[in-house]
Amino acid sequence: MTTTSTLSAERSPAASRGRTGSNRRRQNVAAYLFILPFFVVFIAMLIVPLAYSGYLSLFQSKLIGGDVFAGFANYVRALQDSAFLASIGRMGLFLVIQVPIMLGLALFLALALDSGRVRGSRSVRLLVFMPYAVPAVVATLMWGYLYGPDFGPIAQIARGIGWGTPDFLSPGSILGSMMNIVTWEFVGYNMIIMYAALRAIPADLFEAAEIDGAGQFRVAWSIKIPAIRPAILLTVIFSIIGTFQLFAEPSLLNNIAPDAITNSYTPNYYAYNLAFINQELNYAAAIAFLLGLFIAIVSYVVQLASQRSERRERKAVR
């Protein structure tokens, strides 16, 4: 009896460890099964199309011989394509003008709502965010109607006052009109990101600043804005990506103002027309890859500049 009980006592820890290991393996298998659908969709919808697009970009379609391996000839052609380079420059101008205005307005609204001095802040948040819920197609068609020189309400009001008929869809003003559409669409989205970051700041910081005699402007400039710098940087990067991927706005405005919007007005719209209108799939794939590389470089430069600025500020404080 004594020998049997001793053996069972010695075996019980090993058996317990075995059961624990078995439970962990089952948990690991269950965890992998839960995340498996994500990886399947990620690979099927992102990795495989990227790999196939990269493969297409290395070929050229010839009338005689079909698809022929061309190496980086499509990329060289893109870097010499005046239409593609002009579209990049146009979106660069869009980025420099529109994004600061949009993010500045979003930051102002977020700070105003966080201050607690805005009446009906919930209703204001809903009204500002509501345009983001409107699809880009609907928003562009709506603003296209508002911009209309013949039956648009803006033109009718201007003629009634005696100011003449403003032409928001002319080649010289179409870029500004598009900036207004995008700003109207995404101010609320960026405001919500900044407002959520502001609500996560500990209230003790504000109380200490108010005790020291700091006003609302000083608190916003010295405490709130530095504290939500990561959120601001996130909105900047999202805005950079969105700027160079503009498609719905130029494609729909092209039908309304064909003299102002060309088939290469934005890089994304240019790649679409190359692929599905001109049937130049290989060249369009190269354009898309160069565009993605350019967006990655610009985003990295902005992020690196922000990190360097933050390090300089920390050194100055020390």
Side-chain angles (χ1 to χ4, degrees):
M1 293 291 292
T2 305
T3 304
T4 304
S5 61
T6 303
L7 291 174
S8 62
E10 291 176 352
R11 292 174 181 173
S12 58
S16 177
R17 287 194 297 270
R19 287 193 297 270
T20 302
S22 178
N23 290 335
R24 287 180 179 176
R25 283 193 295 271
R26 283 197 295 268
Q27 291 175 355
N28 290 337
V29 170
Y32 284 120
L33 289 176
F34 275 116
I35 64 176
L36 180 61
F38 165 78
F39 283 107
V40 170
V41 174
F42 180 79
I43 293 172
M45 299 298 175
L46 184 65
I47 302 300
V48 172
L50 279 176
Y52 182 62
S53 179
Y55 170 79
L56 287 178
S57 68
L58 300 177
F59 288 81
Q60 286 182 345
S61 182
K62 304 291 185 180
L63 292 176
I64 300 176
D67 290 340
V68 179
F69 181 77
F72 293 100
N74 288 321
Y75 294 93
V76 174
R77 176 188 170 188
L79 294 175
Q80 298 174 351
D81 189 346
S82 59
F84 175 63
L85 297 177
S87 67
I88 291 289
R90 196 176 294 114
M91 289 301 97
L93 180 62
F94 190 100
L95 175 67
V96 171
I97 297 176
Q98 187 269 338
V99 170
I101 293 175
M102 177 181 66
L103 296 185
L105 184 57
L107 179 60
F108 172 78
L109 292 171
L111 290 171
L113 291 172
D114 185 68
S115 67
R117 299 189 176 186
V118 177
R119 295 183 178 180
S121 60
R122 293 183 179 180
S123 300
V124 173
R125 288 202 305 268
L126 180 61
L127 289 175
V128 176
F129 182 76
M130 193 177 296
Y132 178 71
V134 178
V137 174
V138 177
T140 305
L141 292 175
M142 180 189 72
W143 279 98
Y145 165 72
L146 294 175
Y147 289 148
D150 297 324
F151 305 103
I154 298 178
Q156 294 183 20
I157 294 173
R159 284 196 297 267
I161 298 176
W163 290 353
T165 304
D167 191 359
F168 297 107
L169 301 176
S170 65
S173 58
I174 191 67
L175 186 63
S177 300
M178 196 182 302
M179 290 179 185
N180 178 64
I181 297 174
V182 176
T183 301
W184 181 82
E185 287 179 295
F186 289 98
V187 161
Y189 172 78
N190 293 293
M191 179 209 64
I192 290 297
I193 294 177
M194 297 178 187
Y195 179 75
L198 286 169
R199 301 302 295 174
I201 301 174
D204 298 341
L205 296 176
F206 306 145
E207 294 175 358
E210 291 176 357
I211 292 174
D212 291 339
Q216 288 289 332
F217 178 80
R218 184 65 177 176
V219 170
W221 183 259
S222 301
I223 298 177
K224 292 185 177 182
I225 294 179
I228 65 169
R229 180 173 294 173
I232 296 175
L233 178 61
L234 181 67
T235 59
V236 171
I237 293 176
F238 283 171
S239 300
I240 292 172
I241 296 172
T243 296
F244 289 97
Q245 289 186 339
L246 280 179
F247 175 78
E249 291 81 5
S251 63
L252 292 171
L253 290 175
N254 184 33
N255 298 323
I256 302 173
D259 296 334
I261 300 289
T262 62
N263 291 336
S264 60
Y265 198 79
T266 67
N268 210 14
Y269 187 48
Y270 185 40
Y272 169 83
N273 284 296
L274 286 172
F276 299 103
I277 304 300
N278 298 345
Q279 298 300 316
E280 297 185 61
L281 294 176
N282 307 102
Y283 185 45
I287 290 283
F289 259 84
L290 283 177
L291 179 60
L293 179 62
F294 182 78
I295 292 173
I297 292 174
V298 174
S299 300
Y300 176 75
V301 169
V302 170
Q303 187 173 4
L304 186 63
S306 176
Q307 291 174 352
R308 288 181 176 177
S309 176
E310 188 174 356
R311 284 197 295 266
R312 284 197 299 268
E313 290 180 2
R314 288 177 180 176
K315 290 180 180 180
V317 171
R318 292 177 184 175

